[in-house]
Amino acid sequence: MEQWKGKVAIVTGASAGIGASIVVKLAQSGVHVVTLARRENILKELAESLKGKDYGTIYTKVCDVTDEQAVKDVFSWVDSTLGGPSILINNAGVAKVSSLLNGRLEDWQETFNLNVLALSVCSREAYKSMTKNKIDGHIIQINSIAGHNLTPYFAFKMYNASKNAVTVLCDGLRHELQLMGSKIKVSSVSPGPVATDMLVGIDKIMADRTPKDLKFLHVEDVANAVITSLATPPNVLIAEMTVIPTGSLIQTHLQPSSQVVENALNS
């Protein structure tokens, strides 16, 4: 991580969970971090908790990354104030329980707006800034094992689709960067289940799994995977890193009970 010390990183969805843990790990490595999220008070609490230590500086920016102009404004500020970002971590995401049979359009739109389109806008702006400032940077997309297979959880397929899109967009971005002769790296980090607030809303689709059957990663595990990807030398790229709890599978095997399906349809 020595090559990134004193450089600037932008982290989306930075107020809690995986995002907050990534911010801490980057700051501990001497990276200055611009934290983006909608909850200003939590961003400020995170920044305050890291103040006064021999860490990188934390900058807080309230930003809804689904708002294209808001994203452009943040990158413009980073360009003019900090000289542009060397690292972008696209962490912001959402998982909605929404069946393909009776799901709400607004849930599907929210899923793709945040997980796919906002990620693409941030990546585009990072490329523009890094290129303008002659920075051979690194873009890391926080993906999911759901982006590499069809999970058996009922009412989870739109999330599956959004993360499969991220997988395609990662290699697509690498392809376009290659054609432009750019040295900017693009990595995908795909964790299995992580113990975060995001899982609270999808408990109903896991209701027929006992606690001993379902294993979880900690947010620090994902943050460490990000640091591992960043720590590679210039000639090495970890294109895809899949991280799962010991004793679990990449491809989950689960047949939901008829009661779970009925409850989801009638919710």
Side-chain angles (χ1 to χ4, degrees):
M1 286 294 292
E2 191 63 30
Q3 71 267 37
W4 302 113
K5 192 170 184 179
K7 305 297 186 182
V8 176
I10 295 176
V11 180
T12 72
S15 60
I18 294 171
S21 185
I22 291 171
V23 170
V24 171
K25 293 288 184 182
L26 288 171
Q28 289 174 341
S29 299
V31 179
H32 305 307
V33 188
V34 180
T35 60
L36 308 187
R38 291 176 296 182
R39 299 180 290 181
E40 183 177 20
N41 60 320
I42 301 180
L43 284 179
K44 287 185 174 179
E45 286 174 8
L46 176 61
E48 191 63 32
S49 70
L50 298 172
K51 186 182 291 186
K53 300 178 180 179
D54 188 23
Y55 293 168
T57 305
I58 305 299
Y59 302 91
T60 62
K61 287 289 179 181
V62 176
C63 179
D64 177 354
V65 290
T66 64
D67 181 339
E68 182 182 17
Q69 189 57 54
V71 171
K72 287 182 175 181
D73 290 344
V74 165
F75 275 87
S76 177
W77 180 85
V78 174
D79 275 351
S80 61
T81 308
L82 304 175
S86 295
I87 298 167
L88 168 65
I89 313 293
N90 270 314
N91 168 72
V94 65
K96 291 281 186 178
V97 179
S98 187
S99 164
L100 299 180
L101 304 180
N102 75 333
R104 301 187 310 161
L105 177 60
E106 51 263 46
D107 287 338
W108 300 347
Q109 288 173 327
E110 182 180 350
T111 298
F112 270 80
N113 283 343
L114 184 53
N115 294 0
V116 179
L117 299 181
L119 172 144
S120 297
V121 168
C122 289
S123 298
R124 181 193 69 196
E125 295 305 308
Y127 162 72
K128 289 181 178 181
S129 175
M130 290 173 184
T131 302
K132 180 177 68 177
N133 292 294
K134 296 180 171 54
I135 296 171
D136 294 333
H138 200 149
I139 299 170
I140 297 184
Q141 321 290 32
I142 303 302
N143 199 346
S144 168
I145 56 170
H148 302 278
N149 57 64
L150 189 66
T151 58
Y153 305 127
F154 186 76
F156 207 50
K157 303 306 187 290
M158 198 59 74
Y159 177 77
N160 258 152
S162 72
K163 288 301 186 178
N164 269 270
V166 171
T167 300
V168 172
L169 290 170
C170 282
D171 220 30
L173 188 54
R174 282 189 285 266
H175 183 222
E176 292 195 6
L177 289 167
Q178 178 192 61
L179 293 175
M180 296 300 293
S182 174
K183 294 181 181 179
I184 296 171
K185 293 184 179 184
V186 178
S187 296
S188 167
V189 174
S190 297
V194 185
T196 66
D197 291 343
M198 184 181 287
L199 286 180
V200 173
I202 60 175
D203 280 347
K204 64 179 73 174
I205 63 176
M206 299 180 179
D208 54 348
R209 294 289 295 269
T210 60
K212 65 182 178 60
D213 291 329
L214 192 60
K215 298 177 176 64
F216 294 93
L217 294 166
H218 301 295
V219 292
E220 293 82 5
D221 299 324
V222 184
N224 285 332
V226 168
I227 296 299
T228 298
S229 292
L230 287 170
T232 53
N235 66 311
V236 174
L237 168 67
I238 297 176
E240 170 61 45
M241 182 184 292
T242 304
V243 187
I244 60 174
T246 302
S248 61
L249 305 172
I250 295 176
Q251 175 64 63
T252 306
H253 300 280
L254 167 65
Q255 180 62 44
S257 68
S258 58
Q259 186 62 54
V260 169
V261 174
E262 183 178 341
N263 289 344
L265 281 173
N266 293 329
S267 61

